[in-house]
Amino acid sequence: MGSRLRFLTGLAAVVAATAIVPTTFSPPASAASAATAYRLVTAAATGALGADSAIACPIPSGSQFVDSWGASRSGGRRHEGVDMIADRNTPVAAVQSGDISFKQNRLGGNAAWLTSPSGNTFYYAHFDRFEGESRFVLQGEVIGYVGSTGNAKGPHLHFETHFGGTVGNPYAATYAACVEPVLDATQIQADTKRFAQHVAIR
């Protein structure tokens, strides 16, 4: 536990030191298959955290993102989300179960609002296309695909969290859903390997 804490503390220091190094969530081949990593993310979001603010990863197969909350945008606006960079047509998932409403607007292009039974809302923008029609969806269900519609310079997902109806910085929740389960899986594998080697030596 001590070595993991030191590792995570060091990683947090590196991420905090520079805003140009993106947080990368990409399930390592040595840790798990994409399907297994997806299950890890969903399980951690729904079970381990056990709170209304727990979410599944919006892009389970991997993306890059930084904490860009409050960054300036055209027209004097401030950034109120996290931009998750991924290849065009990468599947995007519902972060909580709830009602999804697909819409189009000038800035977000193909966009969606997801409202959970607890009253949380989540805004997704720049989809290449939607998956299905507006409906009730389950957490982890594919709702669309990464694109660059609206005011976007390249393929990415703009993702916002509105917990309790108030928009807030989504970085911490996104990091917890997308990155920490993969770090946990990698650490478990490393610990298991060390334990097996120790038993073999004895």
Side-chain angles (χ1 to χ4, degrees):
M1 183 67 178
S3 62
R4 179 174 181 273
L5 183 59
R6 284 192 298 275
F7 170 75
L8 290 175
T9 302
L11 179 63
V14 170
V15 171
T18 174
I20 62 171
V21 177
T23 298
T24 301
F25 161 56
S26 184
S30 60
S33 68
T36 303
Y38 173 81
R39 287 194 296 272
L40 283 170
V41 169
T42 303
T46 58
L49 299 180
D52 284 344
S53 59
I55 64 171
C57 186
I59 304 180
S61 62
S63 66
Q64 291 185 329
F65 55 92
V66 297
D67 186 353
S68 57
W69 175 260
S72 61
R73 291 293 186 266
S74 61
R77 296 174 297 115
R78 294 288 177 182
H79 197 229
E80 294 188 339
V82 61
D83 288 338
M84 306 181 72
I85 300 168
D87 291 338
R88 187 179 305 279
N89 291 320
T90 300
V92 176
V95 296
Q96 290 186 347
S97 298
D99 291 306
I100 190 88
S101 178
F102 297 123
K103 300 179 180 294
Q104 292 179 319
N105 62 68
R106 183 179 61 82
L107 291 175
N110 293 331
W113 281 98
L114 171 64
T115 303
S116 73
S118 64
N120 297 328
T121 56
F122 307 93
Y123 178 68
Y124 301 74
H126 311 311
F127 284 121
D128 182 76
R129 65 189 190 282
F130 304 130
E131 177 66 30
E133 305 292 330
S134 297
R135 64 192 186 281
F136 184 86
V137 294
L138 297 176
Q139 184 182 49
E141 187 174 336
V142 174
I143 57 173
Y145 302 88
V146 172
S148 56
T149 58
N151 186 23
K153 293 183 178 178
H156 71 279
L157 173 69
H158 171 88
F159 175 68
E160 295 179 15
T161 55
H162 298 245
F163 294 118
T166 302
V167 65
N169 189 344
Y171 181 80
T174 306
Y175 185 92
C178 298
V179 179
E180 287 179 1
V182 175
L183 293 178
D184 288 343
T186 304
Q187 185 64 47
I188 289 169
Q189 281 201 335
D191 290 345
T192 302
K193 184 176 180 180
R194 279 195 298 272
F195 176 76
Q197 289 172 340
H198 177 71
V199 171
I201 291 172
R202 297 185 64 179

